[in-house]
Amino acid sequence: MNKKDIYILGVGNNTGVYIDLVEECGYNPAGLYHYEKGREGELLHNIPILDCHENLFKQNLTGLLFAISVGNNLIRKNLAEKILKCGGEIPTLIHPTAVVSKYAKLGNRVVVHANSVIQAGASIGADTVISSNASVSHNSIIGKACYQAFGSTIGAYVNISDNALIGQGAVIISGKVDFIGENSIIGAGSVVTKSVPKNTIVAGNPARIIKSI
C-alpha cells in the first residue's frame, strides 16, 4: 500500500522529529516549507525545501496533507487556519508508541509524540501538541493550541486554557491546581501547586509568578 504524501511547515531543529513522526504514522514526507524565501532546494534529512509559506498560501491546497513543526502556539494556530482556508488538510498524528485511552477525547489536528500517555477522561483541544514522554492524567482538559513539552506531567482534574505552554519536566499537581489560564507559560521543571492566572509566567518549585505577559 502506498503511503500518502504529507508536507511539513517549519524548518528547524525540531523538524527531524516531525519527519520521524509522520513516517511512523504511515505518511511519506514529500517536502518542506520554510517561512523564509530563497531556501528552495535545500535538503533536511534528504527532504527538500519546496518553497516559502507565503507562496504556499497563494495556491489551492485541496487534497494536500500538512503537518506543522512549529512550537509557538499562536504561529502554529495561524498556519493551521491558513492551510484550512486554502483547502488543505491537517491530520491528527499519534505516534504508535503513545498510549491514548479510548475514553480520551482528541480534537482536530492534535499531535501526540512518542511515549506519551493520555489517560481516560482527558480531553485535548484542536491544534494542541503533546510532546514526547509527557502525560495527561485522567479527567483533565487541555484547550486549543496548547503545547505540553517533553517529560511534563499534567495531574488529574486540571483545566488548561487555550494557548498555554507547559515547559519541559513541569509537574502540575493533581488536586491542587484547578486551572492554568489562557496564554500562560509554565517554566521548565516547575512544580505547580495552585492555579495560574491567564497571561502569566510562573516558574520554580513551588511555582511562583514571574511576570504578567
Side-chain angles (χ1 to χ4, degrees):
M1 181 176 179
N2 293 330
K3 294 183 177 181
K4 292 183 178 180
D5 287 347
I6 192 168
Y7 301 90
I8 299 174
L9 272 70
V11 180
N13 295 330
N14 195 46
T15 307
V17 176
Y18 271 77
I19 293 171
D20 280 336
L21 175 63
V22 298
E23 288 179 335
E24 289 293 332
C25 290
Y27 296 96
N28 172 53
L32 310 173
Y33 288 88
H34 197 278
Y35 73 92
E36 292 181 325
K37 295 181 178 180
R39 296 190 58 179
E40 299 83 354
E42 292 183 27
L43 298 176
L44 181 66
H45 302 297
N46 293 318
I47 299 172
I49 298 176
L50 301 177
D51 209 335
C52 65
H53 295 176
E54 180 181 338
N55 289 337
L56 175 67
F57 297 133
K58 295 176 182 177
Q59 304 174 45
N60 181 346
L61 304 181
T62 301
L64 300 181
L65 301 179
F66 295 88
I68 305 175
S69 171
V70 175
N72 182 288
N73 290 332
L74 295 180
I75 293 175
R76 187 175 64 255
K77 180 181 177 181
N78 180 260
L79 289 173
E81 289 173 349
K82 288 181 177 179
I83 290 170
L84 297 176
K85 185 177 180 180
C86 293
E89 301 175 32
I90 306 171
T92 291
L93 297 170
I94 302 174
H95 194 280
T97 63
V99 178
V100 179
S101 170
K102 64 181 179 181
Y103 301 112
K105 296 180 180 180
L106 271 59
N108 295 327
R109 304 176 296 279
V110 167
V111 173
V112 183
H113 285 283
N115 301 314
S116 288
V117 177
I118 300 176
Q119 294 184 344
S123 177
I124 314 296
D127 300 307
T128 284
V129 176
I130 309 297
S131 195
S132 302
N133 294 89
S135 63
V136 182
S137 298
H138 62 87
N139 300 99
S140 279
I141 298 171
I142 301 180
K144 298 177 181 178
C146 294
Y147 192 97
Q148 183 180 356
F150 180 93
S152 56
T153 299
I154 295 172
Y157 299 102
V158 180
N159 191 334
I160 297 179
S161 298
D162 297 350
N163 310 320
L165 169 62
I166 313 300
Q168 279 188 338
V171 177
I172 299 174
I173 302 296
S174 300
K176 298 286 188 179
V177 181
D178 292 327
F179 66 88
I180 304 295
E182 185 176 2
N183 304 317
S184 287
I185 297 173
I186 310 300
S190 298
V191 177
V192 182
T193 59
K194 59 184 179 181
S195 295
V196 176
K198 66 180 181 179
N199 303 316
T200 301
I201 299 174
V202 302
N205 181 5
R208 302 181 184 279
I209 294 176
I210 303 301
K211 65 177 181 178
S212 297
I213 51 178

